[in-house]
Structures are given as C-alpha cells and as structure tokens.
Amino acid sequence: MDKMRIFDQEGNRLYLNQKEIQQFLKTAKQKNAKIRTLAETLTYTGCRLSEALAITPENILFNDNQVVINSLKKRKTDHYRILPVPREYMEIMVVAHDIQQRQKQKNKKNLPLWDWSRQHAYELIKGLMVESGIPPGKNRSPKGLRHAFGVNAVTKDISLSMLKKWMGHAHISTTEIYANAIGKEEALMAQKMWTK
C-alpha cells in the first residue's frame, strides 16, 4: 500500500487551501440543501465520502453540535468517531434532513441522509469545485477536502493525537503527514514561533 501523502510526486498539493475552501463553501451555499449539507459535512468533519454517505439521523447529535462517523475504512464496522461541528452547520443539517422528526421514526432513523451513489456524490462535489473556480489538479476532489481538514487542524494547533482520533487514522504516523504542509499554511505555523 502506498504511503499517504499530501503532495504528489511533482510537489503539487493534494489538499484545498483556505481560499479554495472558502470559495467552495460559498458556492455550496447557493445549492439545494442536500448538496450544501454534503459539501459542508465533508469540509467540517474531514470524513471520507463513503463515510458521509453512511450518516443517518441517529448520527446527528444536535444538542452537542456533533456528528458521529462510522470509520468505514477500519476492518470492524462498529468503529465510530465523534466530531465537533459548527452550530450553523448543525442547524442547517437538522432542517435540511428533518433530523428531529426522522429520529423519532423507527423506520427512518437508520436510513442514510443522502440516497446517492458514491459516484454521483463524487461528481456533485467535483462539479461544485469546478464551479467554485478551483484550478484543475488532484486536490480538486473529495479527498482534497479531507486533506484540507487535516492541514487546517494542524495550522490551528489541534494536537496530532486529537486529529488522529477525528480522522479515524489507525496510526499517528499517518496523521503526521499534515505537519508537512508548506506554502501559506507553513508560513502560518512559522509565524506562531515568533509571535509573542
């Protein structure tokens, strides 16, 4: 298995930078609520696309501003992680997917919020990125959002152990790749060294 990385062999980044994330979220806000919430879920949780598509109403902890993600890449199917999310995002999720009503209905509380195939969801997210003006490259993908989550966490001083937990990595060595960010992200980290 290839070692995970955030740059390709030519040195191009495989993650979206903060400006691209802002453009992406701005474009997503103009779409219908289901597309918007998928885009925001990927951005605010750093989960894999398949993990987002597996989220059910039961996984939305409205009062705690948390989303429960089933770590599908793990061998076991019962490995969950809980991620804190912005309140504004949570409020949109609850309305867009009728969460409170669906949580009360036995036959609906375990059904995924999005009934799209992985390929369709991938194309929707990729299309949003194109529409957002994100230049072509390997970073223009759902995985680019996952990597952006990791890079953003490191630049905001989130500990690697916490990031490991949030991203569902089995080994800290996988999480450590996000400490290798360069460009503006690296400059932000370096600037903190000299700030009193």
Side-chain angles (χ1 to χ4, degrees):
M1 187 169 128
D2 288 340
K3 183 177 165 134
M4 195 170 78
R5 56 184 191 241
I6 57 173
F7 298 98
D8 67 14
Q9 293 177 339
E10 288 79 44
N12 300 308
R13 62 185 160 78
L14 300 176
Y15 60 92
L16 276 68
N17 62 31
Q18 281 303 302
K19 182 180 176 189
E20 291 167 339
I21 290 289
Q22 289 170 358
Q23 291 170 228
F24 176 72
L25 290 173
K26 183 178 178 182
T27 303
K29 284 182 180 180
Q30 299 166 7
K31 301 299 175 189
N32 73 53
K34 287 206 171 198
I35 294 173
R36 174 184 176 173
T37 54
L38 178 61
E40 290 180 346
T41 297
L42 294 170
T43 304
Y44 295 135
T45 68
C47 70
R48 298 169 182 92
L49 183 58
S50 56
E51 293 171 338
L53 294 175
I55 295 173
T56 69
E58 269 195 327
N59 299 131
I60 305 299
L61 308 179
F62 177 71
N63 292 330
D64 299 321
N65 294 326
Q66 296 174 330
V67 177
V68 179
I69 304 288
N70 186 353
S71 294
L72 297 178
K73 199 165 181 185
K74 303 283 185 189
R75 297 250 187 256
K76 299 178 193 173
T77 57
D78 62 347
H79 187 271
Y80 294 88
R81 59 193 195 271
I82 299 174
L83 286 110
V85 292
R87 185 67 186 174
E88 179 187 347
Y89 157 81
M90 184 58 71
E91 290 170 355
I92 301 279
M93 284 291 285
V94 168
V95 172
H97 297 281
D98 199 17
I99 298 297
Q100 292 171 321
Q101 188 61 34
R102 289 178 66 184
Q103 285 178 342
K104 295 174 190 171
Q105 299 172 330
K106 224 176 191 178
N107 63 335
K108 292 189 176 180
K109 67 181 182 178
N110 291 320
L111 295 177
L113 300 181
W114 299 276
D115 58 357
W116 300 326
S117 71
R118 188 183 182 288
Q119 182 62 36
H120 180 67
Y122 181 92
E123 290 169 6
L124 286 172
I125 296 302
K126 185 102 172 177
L128 271 179
M129 291 180 171
V130 170
E131 191 177 332
S132 300
I134 297 168
K138 293 178 186 173
N139 62 322
R140 195 166 73 178
S141 70
K143 188 142 190 177
L145 290 168
R146 180 167 167 76
H147 287 323
F149 179 87
V151 170
N152 187 45
V154 168
T155 61
K156 298 287 178 14
D157 295 325
I158 301 299
S159 71
L160 288 178
S161 60
M162 182 61 71
L163 183 57
K164 174 186 176 286
K165 177 182 168 187
W166 287 349
M167 296 193 79
H169 291 153
H171 306 286
I172 195 76
S173 59
T174 304
T175 314
E176 287 172 344
I177 68 158
Y178 297 109
N180 293 328
I182 59 170
K184 283 186 181 179
E185 293 79 12
E186 185 178 34
L188 284 171
M189 287 185 246
Q191 189 176 30
K192 290 176 185 177
M193 282 181 50
W194 311 115
T195 305
K196 292 183 183 184

